Amino acid sequence: MKWVTCEKARVDRIACPWLISRFIDKQPTFLFVPKDQVMSVAEREGAIPVRHSALRALALIVRGADTEARQLTPESAGLYALATGSQAQAKDDRDNMVKQFAA
């Protein structure tokens, strides 16, 4: 299946592809596009926007890590730190995803 999300991925847009590839779709294709194009690309490509209902179980952890509300869960601050370090070392979004999938 094709999945589409915003470019310049960090916490939630790396966590969701990880979850998708591990538990939902063993051979996913991820499209990274500007935020204002996510829905139009999803429609054009027959892709699923990454914020799919199957991913809600981890929403609070990811929300805390991807916003200023890092105290939302005990795990949020650690996830944010890990993702920020990986993003800083990555050459592009795909490299960032590879680095964070290993974590």
Side-chain angles (χ1 to χ4, degrees):
M1 297 187 302
K2 288 184 184 177
W3 301 82
V4 61
T5 191
C6 300
E7 63 188 358
K8 301 191 186 335
R10 188 171 41 211
V11 178
D12 69 333
R13 292 180 312 273
I14 295 297
C16 291
W18 181 85
L19 289 167
I20 289 166
S21 68
R22 295 298 192 274
F23 303 108
I24 298 172
D25 183 355
K26 293 299 180 187
Q27 295 182 321
T29 298
F30 295 103
L31 307 172
F32 297 95
V33 301
K35 185 177 182 176
D36 64 342
Q37 295 179 25
V38 169
M39 296 311 290
S40 63
V41 169
E43 186 175 323
R44 183 182 74 232
E45 296 289 328
I48 301 168
V50 165
R51 289 186 185 277
H52 190 262
S53 61
L55 305 173
R56 291 185 183 164
L58 298 177
L60 285 179
I61 294 170
V62 172
R63 176 179 274 261
D66 204 41
T67 66
E68 296 298 318
R70 303 225 213 296
Q71 76 290 349
L72 195 58
T73 71
E75 301 85 359
S76 294
L79 180 56
Y80 174 80
L82 176 67
T84 299
S86 294
Q87 182 191 41
Q89 295 176 13
K91 62 183 177 194
D92 58 29
D93 286 321
R94 294 199 187 281
D95 184 44
N96 186 17
M97 191 165 59
V98 169
K99 288 181 182 327
Q100 292 194 51
F101 275 20

